Amino acid sequence: MSYLEELNDAQREAVVNFEGPTMIVAGPGSGKTRVLTYRIAHLLKQGADPFGILALTFTNKASEAMRQRIEKIAGTNARNLYMGTFHSVFARILRVEATQIGYPSNFTIYDTEDSRSLIKSIIKEQGLDDKIYKPNQVQWRISAVKNALITPQLYAEDPELQTEDKNQRRPATAKIYRMYCERCFKSGAMDFDDLLLNTHIILEKFPNVLYKYQHKFKYVLIDEFQDTNHLQYAIVKKIADVFQNITVVGDDAQSIYAFRGATIDNILNFEKDYPDLKVYKLEQNYRSTQNIVKAANELIHRNRNQLKKEIWTQNDTGEQIKMVRTPSDNEEGRWVADSIMELKMRDHHMNNDFAILYRTNAQSRAFEEALRRQNIAYKIYGGMSFYQRREIKDLLAYLKLTVNHQDEEALKRVINYPARGIGQTSLDKIIITAANEGRLIWEVMDQIHQYDVPARTKHSIEEFVMMIKSFAAQSVKMNAYDLAAHIGKTTKLITELYNDKTVEGLARYENIQELLNSIKEFVEDDEVPENVVTPDGELLHTDKSLGTFLQSVTLLTGDEKDSGNQDTVKLMTIHAAKGLEFPVVYVVGLEENLFPGQQSLYSMEDLEEERRLFYVAITRAEKRLFLTYANTRYKYGQLNYCDPSRFLQEIPEGIVSHHGDLKKAKVMQQRNANAGAANRTAFTRTAPLSNSSDPSGSSEPFIADDATGLQVGMEVMHEKFGEGKVIVIEGAGANKIAGIQFAGYGIKKIMLKFAKLKILSGGM
């Protein structure tokens, strides 16, 4: 069978009509990669010179996969294509042309760490405070302006940029930028952004070079065009200007990388640059069921800025989309893990069939813990396990050292983080001294006045020891959460992360807050875990100390090893999920101020990007789609009542089935629907939606009654689970446990001395 016979009519038209400017708008699951691959193969089969074809992708993996498929159709000619990522292709061009701007042809390419190291050196040499001029923040700033075509000279002359730097107390940023570029030039080095910027500069300044590449590349093709930034498009537009055989492939509805500098304007306004543009729309979805496709269409049609298309499929109608409400984020994690286990047992799914998608990395914790409890193998895709993240291990090390001063691994991890003037040389001397004297490192530090150590270092060590001892003393009076929050604040660890305003810095700060939230929930949780109750109903332990929390974390993560098992449930952010597909998808945390995020509620552009992100999430699903949200979630140590995401209301009711205690959610949903309707008209907000409602729908704060006299038959209201009835009382005294039947949640065992219950009616 000919390769063209494998295509549907729309795909075939997009493949064979290869002359002139072309835009292929490819919906999710519509065979975009196949069309782009076959278009290039068809060019070669029609006699096009492979050296004259420039094909640009965003990942090396995508590029290599496409090249292999093209070679199967068009033969070894495919090896001569100019195909690769923007950075790799432009680096190849610069190896030939870099001498035009004074670089050697064998220039070095600095990776992210190399660049950051150089910036660190400049900050230090200039005597600047690296707590204000954080190297990663300065690096992010330099990268952003390079991709906006702003050179050091233009940066220094731009009053708006200078004002921004002064407001952020970093007025020397322009000087650092200039010195950084000068140092790179002297070292014959380019960073990743220079590969783009210098290519543009050469094409701009040297008409002969521009002429050469304009006539070399007769055909230019760009994959994932919606993800390009201003600089990338500026370069390819110049190169394609003579023949204008430029083909862009993408989907504006999947433009989700504005935070990386991508601009949706490139694809939305492409026709303005090429009035003779031919547009092909790939609208048949081969991936998902009709219900999932219908949900995606209804959702994305709400966006104003879009290229209109109607995705359709010949697949089965499929199951209804399941919308699930749980009482808390931890319950959400348990529900998802239980659902995965049920589907595995009932329908013989493999772990690989499942994906859990969330808005922020910090959300992974509850799902990781729930999956471990069920012994379900999982993998964090494009990231690492919550408790393996550096910032989490840092704060946990402080907590461990507070509980146990003899924990030398914890001590070595945090003794100089955040920096307090105890360098590695000083620590090495202490370690050697301790080894020679057969003592612990802590013991040497506790008696540092006896040793010959520089006065400044000695003072820093004494302060550190005193601080840790003070934490230990306070652990007697403070619960685990208050103590952990106090430690994070006193050590300046939280401040250090809060001040880092890069995308990575904000994620690390969110992770620390999530760890504190988990400790707060541990302290306030009145539900009795199964592993602390004997078959006779006797409690093994009920304390809420920091030591108990650390023990629970250690037991949960102690067997965390990479077994090499490829059959794993995948956990990932929605950004990381783009381009992937799974039979069963759980999109979780669908609450206002989380998804969409609070920062996106004040402009139409940001809100529409959040909607596109949700569109990407639901179109990852092939057969089954679950949308979950929690009624309560801890934030900054406070229990917040959550409103369902406005996006849930944008999915047609006829294709959705609801699960959870929906009766008690009705008030919230109605209020949110009213507010959301008004908001969709204006697209602006003066304040976030209210999150003050309790499970009863009342706006009054939840105040618990004294539950020590609880009796069988009493009707109660729980802060998370709503209304329930006491069916059994077990234990005695401080260890009393009530078994309460809650509508929608089954029987929950509640520890009465921690219970958060309102008593609604008397018992037997």
Side-chain angles (χ1 to χ4, degrees):
M1 183 171 67
S2 163
Y3 62 94
L4 292 178
E5 292 174 4
E6 298 174 24
L7 306 173
N8 65 34
D9 292 344
Q11 291 172 334
R12 192 179 305 108
E13 286 294 306
V15 165
V16 300
N17 295 298
F18 52 76
E19 296 292 339
T22 304
M23 179 163 65
I24 301 171
V25 182
S30 64
K32 169 187 71 70
T33 303
R34 169 176 285 193
V35 168
L36 181 58
T37 301
Y38 284 21
R39 187 177 174 93
I40 296 171
H42 190 67
L43 275 169
L44 294 176
K45 295 283 276 185
Q46 298 305 305
D49 178 6
F51 292 101
I53 298 174
L54 173 62
L56 297 166
T57 66
F58 273 86
T59 66
N60 288 311
K61 183 179 177 182
S63 175
E64 190 53 38
M66 285 173 59
R67 190 189 299 273
Q68 290 175 6
R69 290 172 70 175
I70 293 166
E71 191 171 336
K72 286 181 181 177
I73 297 171
T76 55
N77 252 356
R79 299 174 190 176
N80 299 325
L81 292 166
Y82 248 81
M83 174 182 276
T85 65
F86 282 87
H87 291 94
S88 66
V89 167
F90 295 154
R92 187 175 169 186
I93 291 173
L94 285 169
R95 291 292 178 202
V96 178
E97 309 298 343
T99 54
Q100 302 276 358
I101 54 174
Y103 276 90
S105 58
N106 63 340
F107 61 86
T108 300
I109 298 176
Y110 278 175
D111 63 19
T112 303
E113 288 303 314
D114 297 328
S115 300
R116 192 170 299 168
S117 178
L118 175 54
I119 290 168
K120 274 185 187 175
S121 299
I122 294 170
I123 290 168
K124 187 174 182 180
E125 290 164 15
Q126 293 300 304
L128 299 169
D129 186 347
D130 61 4
K131 291 183 177 62
I132 297 173
Y133 290 89
K134 290 183 177 291
N136 60 332
Q137 291 186 16
V138 175
Q139 183 183 37
W140 179 86
R141 179 74 160 176
I142 290 172
S143 175
V145 296
K146 280 185 178 181
N147 280 284
L149 289 171
I150 300 171
T151 61
Q153 182 180 346
L154 291 173
Y155 189 100
E157 294 170 355
D158 189 311
E160 189 175 329
L161 292 173
Q162 298 311 304
T163 301
E164 283 180 16
D165 287 343
K166 285 175 184 173
N167 291 340
Q168 294 173 357
R169 299 189 302 141
R170 291 196 286 263
T173 303
K175 185 178 183 181
I176 297 171
Y177 182 22
R178 176 177 56 78
M179 293 180 69
Y180 172 77
C181 291
E182 289 171 353
R183 292 282 188 87
C184 285
F185 183 76
K186 286 179 183 176
S187 300
M190 297 187 200
D191 63 24
F192 289 140
D193 299 309
D194 288 329
L195 298 177
L196 303 181
L197 182 59
N198 287 335
T199 299
H200 185 272
I201 288 171
I202 289 171
L203 297 178
E204 184 84 14
K205 286 188 173 181
F206 301 96
N208 58 319
V209 177
L210 176 60
Y211 180 90
K212 171 182 172 182
Y213 288 99
Q214 283 179 331
H215 288 79
K216 175 180 177 61
F217 296 123
K218 186 174 181 182
Y219 299 97
V220 177
L221 303 98
I222 308 167
D223 191 18
E224 303 287 7
F225 186 60
Q226 77 280 348
D227 296 335
T228 55
N229 63 27
H230 177 64
L231 179 53
Q232 289 163 332
Y233 180 41
I235 295 169
V236 293
K237 191 166 179 289
K238 280 180 179 296
I239 290 173
D241 199 41
V242 170
F243 293 109
Q244 296 210 348
N245 290 323
I246 180 171
T247 299
V248 300
V249 183
D251 182 6
D252 60 296
Q254 298 185 66
S255 177
I256 58 173
Y257 293 118
F259 69 96
R260 291 186 193 167
T263 172
I264 193 173
D265 291 342
N266 286 348
I267 192 167
L268 292 180
N269 299 328
F270 191 64
E271 191 166 6
K272 293 179 182 177
D273 293 331
Y274 298 95
D276 298 330
L277 183 70
K278 289 179 289 188
V279 178
Y280 299 96
K281 294 182 179 180
L282 308 183
E283 296 172 303
Q284 183 175 359
N285 178 291
Y286 291 92
R287 174 187 302 156
S288 306
T289 64
Q290 290 178 26
N291 281 338
I292 293 170
V293 168
K294 184 175 181 180
N297 277 332
E298 290 289 331
L299 177 82
I300 205 62
H301 286 168
R302 308 262 179 164
N303 275 7
R304 293 182 183 179
N305 293 324
Q306 62 173 295
L307 300 170
K308 292 291 184 183
K309 59 184 176 298
E310 188 72 29
I311 306 303
W312 59 278
T313 184
Q314 291 181 334
N315 293 340
D316 294 338
T317 303
E319 293 185 2
Q320 288 190 315
I321 296 166
K322 292 181 174 60
M323 204 172 287
V324 181
R325 174 180 179 265
T326 64
S328 70
D329 51 342
N330 273 359
E331 285 285 334
E332 182 182 33
R334 285 194 280 268
W335 190 93
V336 169
D338 288 345
S339 171
I340 290 172
M341 182 60 78
E342 180 188 344
L343 289 174
K344 285 177 64 178
M345 299 294 288
R346 190 185 74 200
D347 297 341
H348 308 292
H349 277 291
M350 302 291 285
N351 289 330
N352 268 336
D353 293 337
F354 300 94
I356 302 172
L357 310 183
Y358 36 76
R359 181 65 182 83
T360 65
N361 273 307
Q363 292 169 254
S364 76
R365 177 193 61 81
F367 301 97
E368 290 186 63
E369 293 179 2
L371 291 169
R372 284 201 196 102
R373 288 190 181 100
Q374 291 276 24
N375 201 27
I376 298 172
Y378 72 89
K379 181 178 177 61
I380 305 289
Y381 186 94
M384 63 175 65
S385 174
F386 182 82
Y387 288 105
Q388 292 302 316
R389 292 167 190 160
R390 187 184 74 193
E391 60 278 7
I392 299 302
K393 291 174 82 74
D394 288 339
L395 183 52
L396 285 176
Y398 271 114
L399 304 185
K400 290 175 181 178
L401 191 59
T402 297
V403 172
N404 176 16
H405 301 339
Q406 298 175 8
D407 188 334
E408 298 200 338
E409 291 308 308
L411 189 152
K412 286 186 283 188
R413 185 175 187 93
V414 298
I415 190 171
N416 199 41
Y417 179 74
R420 54 176 58 89
I422 307 173
Q424 190 60 45
T425 303
S426 298
L427 180 58
D428 289 342
K429 288 179 180 177
I430 293 171
I431 292 171
I432 292 169
T433 300
N436 290 340
E437 296 184 6
R439 308 179 74 186
L440 294 167
I441 297 173
W442 175 266
E443 292 172 341
V444 173
M445 291 175 58
D446 194 24
Q447 298 174 15
I448 198 67
H449 59 279
Q450 297 179 5
Y451 297 91
D452 183 20
V453 178
R456 187 173 175 181
T457 304
K458 185 178 292 187
H459 178 69
S460 296
I461 291 172
E462 287 173 340
E463 283 196 330
F464 178 77
V465 169
M466 192 179 305
M467 179 178 70
I468 299 299
K469 284 183 174 180
S470 76
F471 295 157
Q474 287 162 317
S475 68
V476 179
K477 317 180 267 193
M478 302 172 80
N479 65 38
Y481 170 76
D482 291 336
L483 181 59
H486 173 71
I487 290 171
K489 182 178 179 182
T490 304
T491 59
K492 303 285 197 301
L493 190 151
I494 292 177
T495 304
E496 178 97 355
L497 294 172
Y498 178 78
N499 290 334
D500 184 351
K501 300 302 183 185
T502 62
V503 174
E504 294 80 8
L506 290 171
R508 285 195 288 269
Y509 179 72
E510 286 177 351
N511 290 338
I512 283 289
Q513 290 300 329
E514 177 60 19
L515 176 60
L516 291 174
N517 290 340
S518 72
I519 300 174
K520 182 73 167 182
E521 184 147 17
F522 165 80
V523 168
E524 296 195 348
D525 190 11
D526 55 6
E527 188 181 353
V528 182
E530 290 180 14
N531 63 339
V532 299
V533 183
T534 69
D536 298 328
E538 181 186 351
L539 288 174
L540 297 179
H541 63 73
T542 60
D543 68 283
K544 301 288 187 176
S545 68
L546 184 59
T548 304
F549 172 78
L550 290 172
Q551 176 182 304
S552 68
V553 169
T554 304
L555 291 174
L556 201 58
T557 62
D559 60 350
E560 191 175 83
K561 298 182 181 72
D562 184 3
S563 63
N565 180 11
Q566 297 304 303
D567 182 31
T568 54
V569 174
K570 300 301 186 292
L571 280 70
M572 67 191 83
T573 64
I574 301 165
H575 284 100
K578 188 164 171 288
L580 304 177
E581 56 189 52
F582 303 90
V584 186
V585 169
Y586 298 83
V587 187
V588 300
L590 283 159
E591 300 137 32
E592 285 292 299
N593 300 323
L594 181 57
F595 194 10
Q598 188 169 358
Q599 71 282 358
S600 69
L601 301 180
Y602 301 95
S603 78
M604 182 185 77
E605 291 78 10
D606 291 343
L607 188 57
E608 290 200 346
E609 173 136 344
E610 289 286 288
R611 188 176 283 110
R612 292 194 296 270
L613 191 60
F614 186 40
Y615 177 83
V616 167
I618 64 180
T619 55
R620 300 310 93 199
E622 297 172 358
K623 303 292 185 185
R624 289 187 169 109
L625 176 62
F626 296 85
L627 308 175
T628 73
Y629 62 100
N631 188 38
T632 62
R633 190 177 294 271
Y634 280 91
K635 189 172 184 181
Y636 304 117
Q638 297 294 319
L639 185 66
N640 286 283
Y641 293 96
C642 308
D643 287 321
S645 169
R646 70 192 64 202
F647 297 150
L648 294 177
Q649 298 150 31
E650 297 174 359
I651 296 176
E653 272 298 318
I655 60 174
V656 171
S657 65
H658 295 278
H659 300 260
D661 194 354
L662 298 170
K663 177 182 175 184
K664 296 181 178 66
K666 210 169 179 77
V667 173
M668 287 189 294
Q669 289 178 321
Q670 186 57 52
R671 187 189 63 223
N672 192 23
N674 295 338
N679 188 56
R680 284 191 291 275
T681 303
F683 280 98
T684 56
R685 300 282 306 268
T686 55
L689 287 171
S690 166
N691 63 352
S692 60
S693 59
D694 69 17
S696 66
S698 167
S699 61
E700 309 228 343
F702 188 95
I703 301 173
D705 295 326
D706 179 4
T708 54
L710 209 65
Q711 297 177 18
V712 172
M714 281 185 170
E715 293 183 346
V716 296
M717 171 71 73
H718 188 271
E719 190 175 21
K720 291 180 185 175
F721 303 121
E723 291 181 17
K725 187 172 185 177
V726 181
I727 59 171
V728 66
I729 301 286
E730 299 172 342
N735 288 337
K736 261 191 184 179
I737 301 170
I740 305 175
Q741 176 83 48
F742 292 103
Y745 302 119
I747 299 173
K748 299 288 183 182
K749 290 190 173 182
I750 305 297
M751 198 180 303
L752 293 191
K753 71 177 180 180
F754 299 123
K756 296 178 177 60
L757 296 167
K758 285 182 183 177
I759 298 174
L760 303 180
S761 69
M764 297 169 19

